[in-house]
Every structure is written in C-alpha cells, then in structure tokens.
Amino acid sequence: MNQGNNLRGDYSHINDDYTIQQDWDKYTDAEHDLWRKLYARQSRILPGYAAEDYIRNLEKLDAAGQIPHFGRVSEQLHAATGWHLVAVPGLVPDDVFFDHLANRRFPVTVWLRKPEEMDYLVEPDIFHDFFGHVPMLYDPVFADYLAAYGAKGAEAIAMGGLKNLARMYWYMVEFGLIMTEHGLRAYGAGMLSSQTETIYSVTDSTPNRVAFDLERVMATDYAIDDFQKTYFVLESYDQLFDAMKTPMAPIYERLVDKPSIDPSTTLPTDRLYHVHGDAERIIALGQEPHQTEPHRQQRPA
Ligand code: HBI
Ligand code: FE
C-alpha cells in the first residue's frame, strides 16, 4: 500500500505505527444499526459452515448489539491469548502490519462500510476486521501462529519473498478451510465476513480444495476480486504453527525462479478434497484433479 493515498480511512492523525484512537463515541445510531444488521445476517448462516471454535469465540465477544469497543475486547483477548486490538484507519504498510502481528497486536479498521455496501467492499472495514478476524485470535494455536507469521515479515521483505509470505496470509488467514469431525468448515476472515463466499467455499463443487502444504501455498497466485479458485484445507491449526518453524529463505530461493501456480489448476502431487454441495457430506480425499469452471461473481470483502 501507499501512505494512505486512495484509501478511505483518515490517516491524518496516525501515530508512527499507524495506530489511531477508535473514537467509539463518534459512531452514529445508523452505524450501530447497520452493524447489527450485518452481524445478524452473517451470524445466521454460520452453523454448519463456520468452524465451531470460531462460532464459539464469536459468541464470547458479545458484539451482536452494537459496534464493539476495542479497548474492552482487547482486555478480554489479552487475558486469553496475549493479543491486543489496535485501531487503524485501514490498510497499513506491510512492514508495519507484520510488526503489529509479531507483537500480538491485531490492527482493526475503525470505519464501517455504507449501507449500499452490505455485500461488497474492496478495503477491509471494521466488520471484516472484527467479525472475521478477532474470533480466531481467541484460539491459542492460531493466535501463536499469527504472531510467528508476523515475525517472518522482515526477512521476507529483505529477501524479496513478500509475495510468497503474503499468500500464507491470504490463503490461510483470509480464506482457510479446516476439516473437522463434523465435516469441512470455514475459518478464514475473508469468507466469514461474506455471506456468499462462506457457503460457496464449503459446499460448491467448483473450486479446488487442496490439503495444506506450506510451499504449495506460497507458490500459488490469487485473485482479490472474485471467489477463490483454490482453497487450502487444514486438519488442525497446529499445521500452521508448525509450518512457521520451517526456514523460509530456501523456499524464497526456490520460488523466485519458478512461475507461480495458477489457482484454477491443481498438481498431480496435491491431496484434494471433494465436496458434493453439502458440508456434511465430504466425500473423499482422492488424487485426481478436477477442473474448475469460470464464474463471474465478485468477491465480497
Ligand atoms: N493492513 N490493516 C491492514 N490489514 C491487512 O490485512 C493488511 C494490512 N497491510 C498489509 C497487508 N495486510 C498484507 O500485505 C498482508 O497480507 C501481508
Ligand atoms: Fe482481513
């Protein structure tokens, strides 16, 4: 990103680390109303689609009734996993973002989308950041993963590996799936803050669902303006935490000379999950790749 140019947030009062005051009292009744509407609409579809620990932790946040107060949640979160929430005007520079994560500070955008943007938004707003990301910060393993991920940022930037490391955020923080005892579930903030992609990611037979592999993820391109063509599937959040013990430098060196993997394709070495339109009926972990078909819907934030 650039220094706030072309971004919606107000960057005129930022601290050196891009944090600001949340100014909770400034939210209007109309904004609290819209928040309630977004929250109700989105939480209704979660059962059967979202990871159960995500749902449980969302409920703990007690944020259905009004736009949440970061300070209050932050205290509770810190007691649970050592993370804090910090208020930001929107996207922050990569090095700043990584530094916040490495220090267990999760940047949450302060502004809320407009009523006409219920379904689609380009930049992250408070609904995406809070509803999508904060519940997972209560999961101790995921929380440790995200801090370890942030600690890898500086090296990636120095080595030209930012693009590769950012894919671990995209695929495993924004759009991650997990295979649970009750079937495939979504835990990524990008899909969970979107009505349509939550259901699509878990049930539609079109996208590829590939068993998680660190280097496979880091080699794979993504699009930000459409539903994902590939999702990566965990069996446990431990896989993410363990992956962060892998030395990254050799991966960046290997990937720099290789073309990125097109997310509409799969590799013969992939372990693929197949679904038949019903989250409860995950069929098989097979070997044969399946083709994706083009579709035109935009990705809601
Ligand atoms: N800033 N506020 C905010 N939120 C993000 O998700 C974010 C960011 N800055 C950079 C960034 N993400 C990405 O480059 C990461 O995927 C690495
Ligand atoms: Fe996000």
Side-chain angles (χ1 to χ4, degrees):
M1 62 151 288
N2 50 38
Q3 304 293 307
N5 308 326
N6 308 319
L7 295 171
R8 270 166 75 164
D10 176 6
Y11 288 76
S12 62
H13 296 102
I14 53 172
N15 301 122
D16 288 346
D17 64 357
Y18 279 74
T19 59
I20 54 173
Q21 294 295 321
Q22 186 188 11
D23 261 341
W24 190 85
D25 294 333
K26 296 249 169 71
Y27 294 116
T28 64
D29 290 346
E31 286 175 320
H32 286 296
D33 265 351
L34 179 60
W35 173 274
R36 271 190 290 278
K37 222 175 271 171
L38 283 162
Y39 190 107
R41 194 184 70 153
Q42 195 62 14
S43 55
R44 202 166 19 215
I45 61 137
L46 297 177
Y49 298 101
E52 277 155 38
D53 30 28
Y54 167 88
I55 296 175
R56 196 168 18 82
N57 289 323
L58 176 68
E59 284 164 0
K60 261 199 260 174
L61 290 170
D62 194 21
Q66 57 179 7
I67 296 173
H69 218 286
F70 296 169
R72 221 172 292 151
V73 174
S74 197
E75 244 172 71
Q76 188 196 36
L77 174 63
H78 187 256
T81 58
W83 278 76
H84 282 111
L85 304 184
V86 291
V88 291
L91 291 172
V92 303
D94 295 321
D95 58 329
V96 174
F97 185 67
F98 284 120
D99 191 59
H100 280 306
L101 298 183
N103 291 288
R104 293 182 183 256
R105 295 186 299 263
F106 194 81
V108 181
T109 302
V110 295
W111 56 266
L112 181 65
R113 66 192 67 188
K114 303 229 155 26
E116 60 272 23
E117 298 170 313
M118 289 279 284
D119 290 303
Y120 179 71
L121 198 65
V122 183
E123 295 172 44
D125 73 336
I126 185 175
F127 185 72
H128 166 81
D129 281 342
F130 192 94
F131 188 95
H133 286 288
V134 175
M136 289 305 294
L137 298 175
Y138 280 80
D139 181 280
V141 178
F142 188 86
D144 285 353
Y145 157 66
L146 200 55
Y149 172 83
K152 299 283 186 185
E155 176 198 41
I157 292 169
M159 287 196 65
L162 176 62
K163 182 176 77 177
N164 304 300
L165 188 65
R167 289 166 176 165
M168 272 298 284
Y169 195 86
W170 187 262
Y171 279 117
M172 306 320 296
V173 179
E174 298 290 356
F175 292 101
L177 294 175
I178 186 163
M179 184 54 107
T180 75
E181 55 179 327
H182 301 297
L184 192 65
R185 294 292 186 272
Y187 72 87
M191 73 251 287
L192 290 176
S193 55
S194 150
Q195 173 114 285
T196 39
E197 192 160 359
T198 294
I199 298 169
Y200 176 86
S201 69
V202 173
T203 61
D204 199 283
S205 59
T206 308
N208 305 311
R209 293 180 183 79
V210 180
F212 172 73
D213 176 84
L214 174 67
E215 192 158 336
R216 172 70 164 86
V217 172
M218 291 176 81
T220 307
D221 257 337
Y222 59 82
I224 62 167
D225 59 352
D226 197 354
F227 287 170
Q228 298 310 122
K229 293 187 161 51
T230 288
Y231 299 95
F232 290 96
V233 183
L234 295 176
E235 280 164 22
S236 135
Y237 303 116
D238 291 311
Q239 287 174 279
L240 293 178
F241 182 73
D242 291 343
M244 290 301 103
K245 296 175 192 153
T246 312
M248 297 289 174
I251 299 182
Y252 301 141
E253 281 161 16
R254 279 195 292 276
L255 293 182
V256 73
D257 300 322
K258 281 197 208 162
S260 298
I261 300 170
D262 176 342
S264 63
T265 65
T266 57
L267 305 179
T269 46
D270 288 338
R271 293 168 61 233
L272 300 175
Y273 290 84
H274 298 284
V275 308
H276 286 302
D278 181 347
E280 303 299 329
R281 289 186 297 135
I282 291 301
I283 306 309
L285 188 56
Q287 295 295 329
E288 77 283 14
H290 74 282
Q291 291 303 116
T292 58
E293 288 156 30
H295 58 97
R296 238 161 239 98
Q297 261 163 301
Q298 286 215 301
R299 178 181 82 77

